[in-house]
Amino acid sequence: MKDLVDPIVDAIKLAVTTIPGDTVKALKQAYESEESEIARFNLGNILRAIEIGKSRIVPVCQDTGTLTFFVKAGIGSPYLGEIERAIIEATRRATLEIPLRPNAVDVLTGRNSGDNTGKGVPVIRWELVEGSDVEIAVLPKGGGSENCSALAMLTPAQGWEGVKRFVLERVTECGGKPCPPIILGIGVGGGADYSLTLAKKALLRKVGERNPDERIAELEEELLTEVNSLGVGPMGMGGKTTTLDVKIEIAHRHPASFPVGLVVQCWANRRAFLRIKADGRVEVWQ
Amino acid sequence: MAVKLKTPLGEEVLELRAGDVVYLSGRIYTARDAAHRKILELSKKGKLPFELEGAVIYHCGPVVRRKEDGWKVVSAGPTTSARMNRYLDEILSLGVRGIIGKGGMEVGPFVGRAVYFAFTGGAGSLAAESVKRVVDVYWLDELGIPEAVWVLEVEDFPLLVAIDSRGNSLYR
């Protein structure tokens, strides 16, 4: 059996040291469009931090977050039984070698496990699919932005107008706390828990990449414009750029429910992917 | 306006205005939620192992690498300061003259005694460039890397005055 730990460590390293090109492009555009010296101070620092992370191979943000792995497991893969152990071992090694900040704390004692593993973490989300490839998405996500994530159980009568209001209120209330310019992941339908999972998965899409359903894509564009008209701005100090993008994913809902999961991501929009083919070949990308 | 400051800070901070850029040098103390509780608990007993008169507290949990001769800071941006609002008045009562963080804090406690400096959230790799060395670390075993108090020597750390001692704030 091929050792899967190395490529998973590589993917974690890529995610925390290199901000994806789509996000960097959007941040550069934001820098160009902002007029206030203060907004430019913050965006200039962001762009310099990104350069340093990439060139010196160090974590761009010190909060390397909680690691979530979305696994699309082809039922024909010979590696299925290895994946979970490899992810946990890779998390331990990445913490030591990159290094990552140890962020896993015992809920009862407050004790830090020291290696980002513990009860239920890293978080591994399984999805079984056809085929024999295993695709793993790594999403390290910081605490400051996650503290602004939220769930709303709207009434069907509140509907999409209610979704907009909820998102705009939440973004306003959070101000500079989640490190704007932020990226918003929104999941609608499917029940309380699933709407939040959809919202987090939505963050795996590229900045600028719209939902393939045109009606949903239109809602994304509308919210993008409305959130940016709030004027929260980079780091909450005012400006044109509050959010770089809005991603919406949907599932059917119960007739009585209109659940909305909102996951707020900071500008350090970290992610990486790897694919393990049945013959052992591995690809890592962003 | 851009000014250079060196810790410990005194009454000169009262002259700073929201929007000023400050290049800070000297010692700063990292502290997050658990460290604030520990600092306040020990100071009440008169057992705080360091002096906070004129000090600058940095809301930060760094990424550090252990080296043969000590520690190296790899990435060290600010954490969300609002979580520390509940400790702010007491912390400033210990003589603290500056807080570094992100996202802003309650304005009231700063009036007439201290300032809030903002550094860009998430820009940890850039902040680490200003850290010249790790002077000391307190309560590492008990609190873990992110929550321990790291005493850092910084040089020309570029900061924005985001809340000044007259109660002006850059936050909307």
Side-chain angles (χ1 to χ4, degrees):
Chain A
M1 274 294 189
K2 189 183 162 58
D3 178 40
L4 302 176
V5 177
D6 277 345
I8 301 174
V9 172
D10 288 346
I12 297 171
K13 186 186 274 187
L14 179 64
V16 299
T17 62
T18 306
I19 303 301
D22 47 85
T23 308
V24 178
K25 190 176 149 207
L27 286 164
K28 284 183 177 162
Q29 280 168 357
Y31 181 81
E32 295 304 323
S33 77
E34 291 287 356
E35 282 149 14
S36 99
E37 279 304 310
I38 287 165
R40 288 168 71 89
F41 172 90
N42 284 313
L43 287 165
N45 280 348
I46 287 171
L47 292 168
R48 284 173 62 201
I50 290 172
E51 279 300 315
I52 294 169
K54 192 173 174 177
S55 62
R56 302 203 184 150
I57 320 177
V58 293
V60 175
C61 176
Q62 78 292 338
D63 185 359
T64 49
T66 295
L67 292 169
T68 298
F69 295 86
F70 291 97
V71 183
K72 264 191 209 168
I75 49 178
S77 168
Y79 298 105
L80 289 190
E82 296 291 307
I83 303 287
E84 185 156 325
R85 180 202 59 82
I87 286 175
I88 292 168
E89 183 53 29
T91 300
R92 284 202 181 101
R93 270 188 35 202
T95 303
L96 202 68
E97 288 171 18
I98 297 174
L100 305 178
R101 198 176 73 184
N103 276 339
V105 174
D106 184 294
V107 169
L108 294 173
T109 65
R111 201 84 199 168
N112 194 315
S113 72
D115 64 5
N116 280 307
T117 72
K119 203 176 258 299
V121 292
V123 177
I124 305 174
R125 297 275 187 200
W126 288 91
E127 184 185 345
L128 288 175
V129 296
E130 295 286 321
S132 57
D133 289 359
V134 175
E135 195 178 304
I136 304 175
V138 188
L139 183 73
K141 190 168 179 309
S145 61
E146 189 70 348
N147 284 347
C148 285
S149 297
L151 170 73
M153 299 304 288
L154 303 178
T155 61
Q158 288 172 294
W160 287 98
E161 277 310 307
V163 173
K164 281 189 194 168
R165 177 176 293 188
F166 164 61
V167 171
L168 294 172
E169 281 177 3
R170 187 70 188 163
V171 171
T172 305
E173 180 190 328
C174 283
K177 287 185 236 170
C179 290
I182 48 180
I183 294 112
L184 298 170
I186 298 167
V188 178
D193 56 338
Y194 192 55
S195 67
L196 279 162
T197 302
L198 281 175
K200 194 162 268 187
K201 266 179 99 167
L203 297 175
L204 297 174
R205 256 200 270 150
K206 285 183 176 164
V207 168
E209 185 186 340
R210 295 268 75 86
N211 189 302
D213 182 328
E214 276 179 29
R215 298 165 305 167
I216 301 297
E218 208 171 296
L219 287 161
E220 290 177 345
E221 298 265 4
E222 274 174 38
L223 256 172
L224 177 60
T225 307
E226 288 184 35
V227 171
N228 280 329
S229 70
L230 292 173
V232 172
M235 295 300 136
M237 297 180 189
K240 296 176 181 175
T241 328
T242 301
T243 183
L244 299 177
D245 210 353
V246 177
K247 310 290 189 195
I248 304 175
E249 296 289 337
I250 53 167
H252 276 53
R253 60 176 177 82
H254 185 282
S257 297
F258 209 102
V260 187
L262 172 66
V263 174
V264 179
Q265 175 65 299
C266 56
W267 65 259
N269 181 24
R270 291 159 289 184
R271 61 165 192 259
F273 304 87
L274 77 155
R275 183 181 296 119
I276 305 153
K277 310 284 272 183
D279 61 9
R281 278 179 301 155
V282 179
E283 289 171 77
V284 177
W285 78 97
Q286 238 172 348
Chain B
M1 197 176 72
V3 283
K4 287 200 170 206
L5 289 180
K6 190 164 186 341
T7 64
L9 303 179
E11 293 203 337
E12 70 272 23
V13 302
L14 304 179
E15 304 303 319
L16 297 168
R17 290 289 166 264
D20 288 349
V21 173
V22 164
Y23 293 92
L24 183 74
S25 298
R27 286 183 182 190
I28 60 175
Y29 298 80
T30 72
R32 295 159 59 98
D33 314 61
H36 275 73
R37 287 193 292 274
K38 186 96 184 161
I39 287 170
L40 293 176
E41 179 195 318
L42 290 182
S43 78
K44 277 179 195 132
K45 294 179 186 160
K47 288 181 178 170
L48 193 61
F50 42 82
E51 173 63 55
L52 289 179
E53 186 66 40
V56 173
I57 298 262
Y58 184 17
H59 294 156
C60 168
V63 176
V64 289
R65 190 189 289 279
R66 198 189 276 276
K67 292 175 60 182
E68 283 155 24
D69 55 346
W71 295 91
K72 163 117 176 95
V73 171
V74 176
S75 192
T79 191
T80 309
S81 296
R83 297 197 313 273
M84 271 60 81
N85 272 334
R86 57 187 298 192
Y87 312 112
L88 180 58
D89 193 60
E90 279 185 87
I91 282 286
L92 295 182
S93 299
L94 300 176
V96 171
R97 286 290 191 174
I99 304 266
I100 307 170
K102 72 166 170 90
M105 295 189 86
E106 273 172 23
V107 171
F110 286 99
V111 174
R113 51 181 178 172
V115 293
Y116 178 81
F117 299 109
F119 187 72
T120 310
S125 58
L126 177 61
E129 299 277 284
S130 301
V131 178
K132 294 304 145 195
R133 67 186 183 104
V134 175
V135 179
D136 212 339
V137 58
Y138 293 91
W139 315 316
L140 181 59
D141 288 342
E142 184 186 343
L143 302 182
I145 287 173
E147 300 268 1
V149 169
W150 296 88
V151 186
L152 307 177
E153 190 177 306
V154 295
E155 196 178 301
D156 290 334
F157 192 5
L159 305 168
L160 266 178
V161 176
I163 299 172
D164 67 26
S165 68
R166 294 189 183 181
N168 300 308
S169 166
L170 296 184
Y171 296 97
R172 298 167 56 92

